[in-house]
Amino acid sequence: MTEDVERQPLLGPDSAVPVEQNGVNGSSSTTTTVSPIGPDELPPPYNTLAGGVPMVSCRVCSNMVDISSKKEQHVVKCNSCNEATPIRNAPPGRKYVRCPCNCLLICKSSSQRIACPRPDCKKIINLAPSPPATVAVPTVPGMCRVTCAHCHDTFLFNTLNNALARCPHCRKVSSVGPEFARTRSIIFLIFGLVVLGIAIGITVGTMQSAAEKGGLYVVYVGAFLVALLLLLRSLYYCVMKISLIEGPI
């Protein structure tokens, strides 16, 4: 009998370890069928409380868990029920599965059958495909799944909003698709060059009068400063990272 054992701790040595089995012996194990990734196993959104502390709701007991020092982890452990809750998408080629005993497991995306590692459970879990939706879910025009250019996590963003996207996971800003950043960079570059040309023209045309009218120096400095700010803004959009659109929801 062949047995493929996959061990990848979610939280550490003292936490549950997922075990994937293609064949199982023993009458002490029971078999159950669950959906591989339900909506409740997707990483929950962050909630920022007073003081700027990021929190997530435990998927088992709904207790709020502080993740301020754990943002780089894929899952966090609840101090109330000691169960794990994902805060980031599963690694590439992996998926989360919640056993009926509330143990959070991680296994290959292609897995069809896994075993719960808890000694008091040992259930054999058949991973059934998610049932098709019976009710049509209204879609928001322009709403797409976007992969963050900084942390590579996925979030939702409405591409019809003419604005930059802030990732809810890493809180960094990026352009969704290259068109927005490129267009803004060109616009600010044109305005910067126009203002720079005007500033040079004013400076050359009134240079002889500047000695008599000291206020002209303020005009010179202001014009060149505005031109510099516009050109720096153009450079900001030019070097901005681009988040990729995966597709509509």
Side-chain angles (χ1 to χ4, degrees), residues 170-245:
C170 66
R171 308 303 298 172
K172 293 182 179 179
V173 175
S174 61
S175 172
V176 177
E179 290 299 327
F180 179 83
R182 183 187 300 118
T183 302
R184 287 299 178 93
S185 178
I186 294 174
I187 290 175
F188 279 103
L189 177 63
I190 293 174
F191 276 104
L193 294 177
V194 169
V195 174
L196 180 61
I198 294 174
I200 294 174
I202 293 175
T203 302
V204 173
T206 61
M207 187 176 297
Q208 296 178 352
S209 304
E212 300 175 0
K213 300 178 181 179
L216 288 176
Y217 290 108
V218 178
V219 176
Y220 299 160
V221 173
F224 282 105
L225 184 60
V226 171
L228 178 61
L229 292 177
L230 290 172
L231 293 175
L232 288 177
R233 195 65 177 174
S234 173
L235 179 63
Y236 168 75
Y237 282 106
C238 184
V239 300
M240 177 174 288
K241 288 191 174 183
I242 307 299
S243 293
L244 300 179
I245 300 175

Side-chain angles (χ1 to χ4, degrees), residues 7-218:
R7 299 182 180 275
Q8 182 179 345
L10 290 175
L11 296 170
D14 58 341
S15 62
V17 178
V19 180
E20 179 185 343
Q21 299 184 359
N22 294 325
V24 180
N25 266 337
S27 58
S28 61
S29 299
T30 58
T31 302
T32 186
T33 300
V34 300
S35 179
I37 303 179
D40 58 338
E41 293 312 328
L42 296 177
Y46 293 177
N47 296 319
T48 303
L49 301 183
V53 179
M55 310 280 283
V56 295
S57 175
C58 174
R59 289 304 194 189
V60 177
C61 68
S62 299
N63 183 57
M64 299 304 292
V65 182
D66 181 5
I67 61 168
S68 55
S69 61
K70 305 173 183 177
K71 288 185 177 181
E72 299 303 319
Q73 300 181 14
H74 282 81
V75 299
V76 293
K77 190 175 183 179
C78 176
N79 294 327
S80 177
C81 64
N82 291 325
E83 298 293 352
T85 293
I87 60 173
R88 300 182 66 183
N89 292 333
R94 297 287 188 269
K95 60 185 175 183
Y96 295 119
V97 177
R98 179 78 70 178
C99 178
C101 73
N102 289 327
C103 179
L104 182 67
L105 311 176
I106 187 170
C107 62
K108 294 179 180 178
S109 299
S110 58
S111 299
Q112 298 298 322
R113 198 181 190 207
I114 62 174
C116 178
R118 287 184 173 171
D120 57 345
C121 180
K122 293 294 184 181
K123 281 188 174 64
I124 309 304
I125 304 172
N126 294 319
L127 302 181
S130 301
T134 56
V135 180
V137 179
T139 59
V140 179
M143 189 65 70
C144 294
R145 290 189 303 273
V146 177
T147 300
C148 177
H150 298 277
C151 66
H152 305 293
D153 268 338
T154 302
F155 63 95
L156 297 180
F157 180 77
N158 193 331
T159 55
L160 297 182
N161 293 336
N162 194 23
L164 298 175
R166 183 179 295 276
C167 176
H169 304 286
C170 66
R171 308 303 298 172
K172 293 182 179 179
V173 175
S174 61
S175 172
V176 177
E179 290 299 327
F180 179 83
R182 183 187 300 118
T183 302
R184 287 299 178 93
S185 178
I186 294 174
I187 290 175
F188 279 103
L189 177 63
I190 293 174
F191 276 104
L193 294 177
V194 169
V195 174
L196 180 61
I198 294 174
I200 294 174
I202 293 175
T203 302
V204 173
T206 61
M207 187 176 297
Q208 296 178 352
S209 304
E212 300 175 0
K213 300 178 181 179
L216 288 176
Y217 290 108
V218 178

